[in-house]
Amino acid sequence: MGDFDLVIRRGTVVDGSGVQPREADVAIVGGCIAEVGRVNGSGREEIDAKGLLVTPGFVDIHTHYDGQVTWENTLAPSSVHGVTTVLMGNCGVGFAPTLATEREALIDLMSGVEDIPEATLTAGIPFDWETFPEFLDSLERRHADVNFATQVPHGPVRLYVMGKRGAAREPATADDMARMAKIVRDGVAAGALGFTTHRSGAQRTKKGEIPPHETASEGELRTIVMALKDLGRGVIQGADDWADTHEEFSTELDMWSRLVRASGRPYSFALTQRTAQPELWRWLLEHVTNANREGIVIRGQVYPRPPGMLLGLDLSHHPFSACPTYKSDLAALPLERRVEEMRKPEVKRRLLAEDPDRSDRSSARETTWSRKIENMYELGDPPDYSPSRELKLTERAERMGLSPLELAYDLLVKDEGQTVLFFPINNFVAGTLDDALVMLKHPHTVLGIGDGGAHVGYICDASYPTHILTYWTRDRQGERLPLETAVKMLSNDTAKAVGLEDRGLIKRGYRADLNIIDYGKLTLHAPSAIFDLPAGGRRLRQPADGYAATIVNGVITYRDGKSTLTYPGRLIRGPQPSPN
Ligand SMILES: [Zn+2]
């Protein structure tokens, strides 16, 4: 018998506080950290971590595992990148509360906004709940490879209260607002960490409609957030497509400042460098800084590389996926047969000459993006997320004397159709991540928007923790982030931002959520498609090497990247106080 459940010996502890790494032992009892330093007692299990990093488990506060967590125990990609706690229910979309008659509408919403196949959601989600507290009770019965917490999403609340009027984005009556506020309040009182929404209008449901909550009035939002003020807890998360005039940016941000000032609840929103308005983020951060100076807590959720669309023959989109010939003759074929067909000169000639069909409103934006060859790169393995200019397909095509579209075609059909093309959507206007670095280092930003569990057929951003550690602290040419800073950003900062003060630090009394990392060997591999979702749905997977072990609630969940088939992760109800 040992004195502890687990002792990790002689690791290089990067404890999440931002202080310099130091060699120490870490002892664990009952899911919590019992001792850090020189541990004299013995453990029932011991790990020799000499030469390896020991970090807190990472906390990802922006995910969409709301469906996935109800049908499987593995919350990948996050769980294979050192993440031990995820917060879901972001961006105003989710699956509770809901009436039986509205499930289809919610699935349509999630599937359109977040690109999760409809058949998968229909087959996978048990819907053994109606109210939000009942949803939490259902989640309470789930076990996963990471801890999970959720937020009350605006879209389902609006549909639940207003039915068809909500879907049609009609203004809410005073009675509607009061009912919505009560639902959000009850959800947060029962254990949701906050309330989420999304603003303006570029997103679409699968049917091509603007989601129900996008144009909600300030009065509606105010009634809802004031219910959280009464409760004294709950964070607010949102994203905004920011309209096109300067005046409207300030209108929108001023509105959030008023709502945060009135309610006292902190707000965080997705902040990236937008290609259409490359300087907007600076302006937004200036306003955020001014707001914080007045005690109004607003943070930008930032992303450490270009949020990127991935294109390939086995993914949701590629430059030819909306071409009529592709849709009618090729799309349904197995990959191998499709590649064979596409290698025929006459098929190639036809596809190169065709314009994409843009009539499908639900994917109009993705179809437009899929033809922007001038923004595309070949991703490669290991993937390069800040490729240099001469690697652009347009520049390569010019050197080869091909049209860019033809080069894209040739790349897609080589390697048995496995090539992945990368389209950096944001954060890469000047072809470097220098501006992203300014955002990362800003005092009023926090890591987020990795969207784990969503966009499963064309975005795989949830692998960002591994990218931060490899690229930003180790491999980048030019300014890098200190390792201890990056670890703090991934664990302590994100945990605190959403009220989880019991994790994110390697300190006595904190949750024993940890990573043991072979830093020299840490490698992020290229994403690829697998078809293992309910009803055969497709999703992207992205493996990493170098995680020697990941520990959740004191239990080892992964060893050398392989699952131990234990699922100690549980629902977290409500904010958690610091143990000290
Ligand atoms: Zn999101």
Side-chain angles (χ1 to χ4, degrees):
M1 289 306 288
D3 307 292
F4 303 102
D5 295 337
L6 176 65
V7 179
I8 302 161
R9 299 276 177 200
R10 291 178 293 273
T12 304
V13 172
V14 191
D15 71 4
S17 70
V19 304
Q20 295 263 319
R22 67 187 193 282
E23 195 176 292
D25 306 333
V26 179
I28 295 165
V29 169
C32 289
I33 295 169
E35 272 184 43
V36 185
R38 208 28 230 282
V39 172
N40 290 317
S42 63
R44 276 195 292 120
E45 186 171 4
E46 302 223 348
I47 297 175
D48 178 9
K50 180 83 190 158
L52 306 176
L53 301 181
V54 181
T55 75
F58 306 140
V59 178
D60 187 338
I61 62 170
H62 192 125
T63 75
H64 295 279
Y65 290 111
D66 309 70
Q68 195 169 331
V69 74
T70 69
W71 70 68
E72 67 177 277
N73 306 108
T74 303
L75 299 188
S78 297
S79 54
V80 298
H81 295 282
V83 172
T84 53
T85 297
V86 298
L87 178 57
M88 52 201 191
N90 284 282
C91 296
V93 293
F95 301 108
T98 183
L99 294 168
T101 48
E102 268 143 19
R103 286 174 197 162
E104 220 178 296
L106 288 189
I107 285 176
D108 177 61
L109 173 62
M110 186 63 113
S111 142
V113 172
E114 307 291 354
D115 187 44
I116 303 171
E118 266 173 299
T120 294
L121 295 172
T122 306
I125 300 177
F127 281 114
D128 53 356
W129 60 82
E130 176 182 323
T131 66
F132 204 89
E134 286 166 5
F135 174 55
L136 290 174
D137 290 341
S138 179
L139 292 182
E140 183 107 52
R141 296 189 285 273
R142 301 295 310 159
H143 297 177
D145 56 357
V146 299
N147 293 305
F148 45 96
T150 190
Q151 303 163 95
V152 186
H154 196 180
V157 172
R158 202 166 204 273
L159 281 178
Y160 186 79
V161 168
M162 297 176 63
K164 289 205 161 49
R165 289 183 298 121
R169 293 180 293 110
E170 285 183 24
T173 64
D175 182 52
D176 294 331
M177 293 184 201
R179 286 185 61 205
M180 283 191 253
K182 181 167 185 322
I183 288 169
V184 172
R185 187 199 147 99
D186 290 350
V188 173
L193 293 193
F195 164 74
T196 73
T197 192
H198 190 280
R199 308 284 298 158
S200 74
Q203 299 206 309
R204 289 291 182 276
T205 68
K206 201 74 193 171
K207 290 202 181 73
E209 311 289 346
I210 295 175
H213 50 277
E214 296 277 330
T215 52
S217 69
E218 179 170 353
E220 178 175 331
L221 291 167
R222 171 176 290 261
T223 311
I224 292 171
V225 301
M226 290 312 278
L228 296 182
K229 175 187 169 126
D230 295 343
L231 198 61
R233 67 194 224 196
V235 297
I236 312 164
Q237 183 271 333
D240 201 307
D241 287 331
W242 305 110
D244 289 332
T245 71
H246 197 274
E247 217 167 295
E248 285 173 73
F249 305 146
S250 75
T251 310
E252 195 66 18
L253 202 57
D254 286 350
M255 178 192 77
W256 282 113
S257 300
R258 288 191 294 274
L259 292 172
V260 173
R261 189 198 295 273
S263 67
R265 305 321 308 156
Y267 176 61
S268 70
F269 67 96
L271 176 71
T272 58
Q273 179 188 47
R274 293 164 59 89
T275 306
Q277 301 129 323
E279 295 300 313
L280 174 60
W281 66 273
R282 286 184 208 277
W283 185 91
L284 289 168
L285 274 181
E286 243 173 69
H287 282 245
V288 165
T289 303
N290 292 338
N292 278 280
R293 208 170 281 144
E294 294 173 38
I296 299 169
V297 180
I298 300 183
R299 293 184 186 90
Q301 275 192 23
V302 297
Y303 190 69
R305 65 184 196 222
M309 182 177 185
L310 303 175
L311 306 100
L313 289 188
D314 235 358
L315 306 185
S316 294
H317 308 278
H318 59 73
F320 307 94
S321 54
C323 290
T325 299
Y326 187 86
K327 292 212 294 198
S328 61
D329 301 354
L330 299 164
L333 298 176
L335 179 64
E336 205 178 315
R337 286 271 299 116
R338 229 177 320 143
V339 171
E340 198 180 304
E341 282 300 304
M342 288 179 73
R343 283 183 178 154
K344 292 180 179 164
E346 66 275 18
V347 176
K348 177 176 175 180
R349 212 173 306 123
R350 200 166 349 131
L351 283 172
L352 283 173
E354 267 177 19
D355 276 333
D357 166 17
R358 296 174 196 270
S359 62
D360 181 356
R361 285 193 302 155
S362 74
S363 57
R365 181 166 65 165
E366 289 78 10
T367 301
T368 303
W369 285 345
S370 75
R371 299 293 279 196
K372 288 185 174 287
I373 314 290
E374 69 276 17
N375 292 333
M376 287 179 201
Y377 305 81
E378 189 178 353
L379 189 63
D381 189 6
D384 182 357
Y385 290 103
S386 55
S388 58
R389 210 191 150 76
E390 65 270 16
L391 295 174
K392 268 193 180 196
L393 294 197
T394 38
E395 308 238 341
R396 284 174 63 184
E398 194 178 316
R399 290 196 296 274
M400 296 166 79
L402 292 174
S403 81
L405 198 61
E406 184 172 7
L407 174 61
Y409 193 99
D410 292 348
L411 290 172
L412 288 171
V413 299
K414 73 161 194 186
D415 292 342
E416 314 315 319
Q418 294 299 329
T419 307
V420 174
L421 302 179
F422 175 51
F423 172 8
I425 300 169
N426 292 328
N427 287 359
F428 206 58
V429 173
T432 78
L433 288 174
D434 293 348
D435 287 338
L437 180 61
V438 177
M439 283 186 250
L440 289 173
K441 286 165 53 178
H442 195 277
H444 300 300
T445 63
V446 65
L447 286 170
I449 49 182
D451 269 352
H455 311 295
V456 296
Y458 68 92
I459 292 177
C460 196
D461 285 348
S463 62
Y464 72 86
T466 307
H467 178 256
I468 291 190
L469 295 177
T470 52
Y471 175 80
W472 281 108
T473 74
R474 193 188 66 192
D475 299 340
R476 186 174 198 249
Q477 306 292 318
E479 185 179 346
R480 291 190 284 269
L481 290 170
L483 177 61
E484 57 274 19
T485 305
V487 168
K488 175 172 179 282
M489 290 164 72
L490 285 163
S491 51
N492 191 16
D493 290 353
T494 43
K496 270 196 182 148
V498 296
L500 299 178
E501 312 233 7
D502 62 338
R503 63 200 67 211
L505 279 176
I506 301 182
K507 218 171 147 183
R508 195 194 166 101
Y510 279 75
R511 303 296 316 167
D513 293 350
L514 300 161
N515 286 306
I516 303 175
I517 300 171
D518 188 339
Y519 188 48
K521 289 209 182 109
L522 193 65
T523 309
L524 179 59
H525 291 290
S528 62
I530 52 169
F531 292 78
D532 68 339
L533 281 172
R538 163 197 30 220
R539 65 176 140 188
L540 280 154
R541 273 292 154 88
Q542 185 163 21
D545 285 335
Y547 289 97
T550 297
I551 295 161
V552 173
N553 299 335
V555 176
I556 301 170
T557 49
Y558 286 86
R559 268 188 196 275
D560 295 319
K562 278 199 190 59
S563 170
T564 58
L565 303 178
T566 49
Y567 303 100
R570 293 290 184 275
L571 174 69
I572 302 163
R573 279 197 193 250
Q576 302 293 314
S578 150
N580 304 321

